[in-house]
Amino acid sequence: MHQVLVTGGAGFIGSNFIHFLLKKEPHVRVINLDALTYAGNLKNLKNLPDKERYHFIKGDITDRALLKTIFADFEIDTVVHFAAESHVDRSIIGPMPFVETKLVEKKVNPAQTRFHHVSTDEVFGALGPDDPPFSETTPYAPNSPYAASKAASDHLVRAYFHTYQLPVTITNCSNNYGPYQFPEKLIPLVILNAVQGKPLPVYGDGKQIRDWLYVEDHCAAIWTVLKKGTAGQTYNIGGNNQPTNLEIIQTICAILDEKLPSSRGKPHSSLIEFVPDRPGHDRRYAMDTRKIERELGWKPGENLKSGLLKTVTWYLDHAEWVKGIDQLPDYQSWIQQNYAKRGGTR
């Protein structure tokens, strides 16, 4: 039985990973360590399959004594590190929590525990219209406090591999979307605003390009790296698509037009509202995923259309979860702080 410590397992990707492991891997026990900050939500972990193989601990990854106890008591053999402050806009307004959770975290790791670090494509900076996609050897050039803190933590993970032979792997993923995503992010924000007939804020001209990765595909890729990947290696994970943000929003609007024909917001695209762009907004990201496909045999299972359809359906079917998030004071104050100053609202 593998004893897997998941840090940040009450967040968006972490909670999906726990659902994935308990559903797909019967010989895994999951210990979830989460500080339950703004995006950590234990409701993400309701209805887990086989709860006997799951244990939750509320705590901070920077608490050295707590981590030593967890490693000893549960005989941890694998760490999957999700815990992070993860929103670029939040990092621009208040960067220090991002630095703390990326840098301080790296100080406690028993030497023979497999450590997997979940990183982002944003460490590579931005691409021009004709630039080739990011590869695992693309030089780092982060453009936001969030991306800079992730880049710094990537370097520390590699340093622990080379200096202390800690068996590590790193994955750099593109933009995730899917169930349980905190609705400050583009896709859930658009879905929920559109359902309520509220404006759909679009930064700048909406032509920023991203690669979009359905979260369950990301979870499968991480587990594939843990099972088959080589220690010390980095693997890019992406959905192999290149839509603009505006195209994403228009696709969601079209799905909602079909699913909610009597909605007060129909056509939902009429709710689109362009707002001033955020500082330092990277124009384009793209991921070269040939390494993980060639060496480990992973490919995304969802295309953008099927993934967005699943995501919209999930939010429509989980009104209670949405209501709980919508009532959080921190969430409402964040929306007001971020969008009101740009002329957008929620």
Side-chain angles (χ1 to χ4, degrees):
M1 181 76 72
H2 281 293
Q3 307 292 326
V4 180
L5 174 62
V6 176
T7 70
F12 163 47
I13 306 176
S15 62
N16 274 282
F17 185 70
I18 290 172
H19 279 275
F20 173 87
L21 278 188
L22 294 178
K23 181 171 63 177
K24 302 284 190 180
E25 298 293 336
H27 301 297
V28 168
R29 186 183 185 197
V30 177
I31 296 85
N32 176 13
L33 175 64
D34 198 296
L36 297 181
T37 57
Y38 76 94
N41 185 356
L42 291 179
K43 292 181 180 179
N44 295 356
L45 296 156
K46 291 180 66 176
N47 304 316
L48 284 174
D50 200 353
K51 289 185 179 180
E52 295 299 315
R53 293 189 288 119
Y54 171 75
H55 184 81
F56 173 73
I57 300 170
K58 183 179 180 181
D60 196 311
I61 56 174
T62 64
D63 185 338
R64 193 182 193 89
L66 174 61
L67 283 177
K68 285 185 175 180
T69 299
I70 292 171
F71 274 91
D73 290 352
F74 294 96
E75 300 181 334
I76 301 298
D77 58 61
T78 304
V79 177
V80 184
H81 179 57
F82 293 99
E85 304 284 344
S86 65
H87 197 275
V88 174
D89 289 335
R90 285 183 184 259
S91 81
I92 292 168
I93 292 171
M96 281 313 297
F98 292 77
V99 176
E100 290 169 359
T101 56
K102 301 302 186 305
L103 298 183
V104 180
E105 69 204 15
K106 301 305 174 198
K107 295 181 179 177
V108 287
N109 286 305
Q112 297 308 311
T113 301
R114 176 68 178 272
F115 185 93
H116 182 77
H117 179 58
V118 180
S119 190
T120 172
D121 56 359
E122 295 190 41
V123 299
F124 301 121
L127 294 169
D130 301 318
D131 289 341
F134 300 132
S135 74
E136 288 80 1
T137 58
T138 299
Y140 278 24
N143 289 326
S144 72
Y146 162 69
S149 63
K150 290 296 281 188
S153 62
D154 290 5
H155 292 319
L156 282 173
V157 170
R158 290 192 182 94
Y160 268 65
F161 170 72
H162 288 286
T163 304
Y164 304 111
Q165 291 75 56
L166 179 72
V168 307
T169 43
I170 299 172
T171 48
N172 294 89
C173 69
S174 60
N175 283 32
N176 278 224
Y177 68 100
Y180 304 112
Q181 188 168 30
F182 200 73
E184 63 187 0
K185 296 297 184 78
L186 176 65
I187 288 175
L189 179 68
V190 167
I191 296 169
L192 302 184
N193 275 19
V195 168
Q196 298 175 56
K198 294 182 178 180
L200 308 181
V202 180
Y203 285 156
D205 60 7
K207 294 183 180 179
Q208 304 87 358
I209 293 173
R210 300 290 183 265
D211 179 293
W212 292 90
L213 174 65
Y214 189 66
V215 66
E216 188 168 330
D217 285 336
H218 187 193
C219 296
I222 291 170
W223 192 241
T224 298
V225 169
L226 282 165
K227 290 192 297 183
K228 300 180 180 179
T230 301
Q233 291 295 304
T234 297
Y235 301 89
N236 280 356
I237 306 172
N240 296 331
N241 52 65
Q242 285 277 284
T244 66
N245 285 352
L246 187 57
E247 289 170 336
I248 288 286
I249 294 169
Q250 291 168 334
T251 301
I252 293 170
C253 288
I255 293 171
L256 287 171
D257 286 347
E258 184 174 333
K259 283 189 162 289
L260 302 174
S262 59
S263 169
R264 60 182 172 175
K266 187 180 177 184
H268 293 89
S269 59
S270 67
L271 300 170
I272 290 173
E273 179 180 289
F274 291 90
V275 301
D277 212 344
R278 73 182 179 206
H281 200 177
D282 291 338
R283 195 66 175 170
R284 173 176 170 250
Y285 303 147
M287 295 292 272
D288 181 343
T289 61
R290 287 177 295 178
K291 179 178 178 180
I292 191 171
E293 293 174 5
R294 180 181 66 250
E295 296 184 7
L296 308 185
W298 175 88
K299 288 185 177 181
E302 301 292 339
N303 60 41
L304 188 60
K305 183 177 180 180
S306 66
L308 284 176
L309 180 59
K310 284 187 174 183
T311 301
V312 171
T313 302
W314 187 90
Y315 280 94
L316 294 179
D317 290 345
H318 290 79
E320 283 301 311
W321 183 90
V322 171
K323 183 178 178 182
I325 295 294
D326 221 22
Q327 292 173 345
L328 292 175
D330 181 77
Y331 173 60
Q332 291 299 334
S333 63
W334 159 249
I335 292 296
Q336 180 66 23
Q337 182 182 21
N338 189 57
Y339 288 106
K341 67 180 181 181
R342 294 189 172 102
T345 58
R346 179 171 192 272

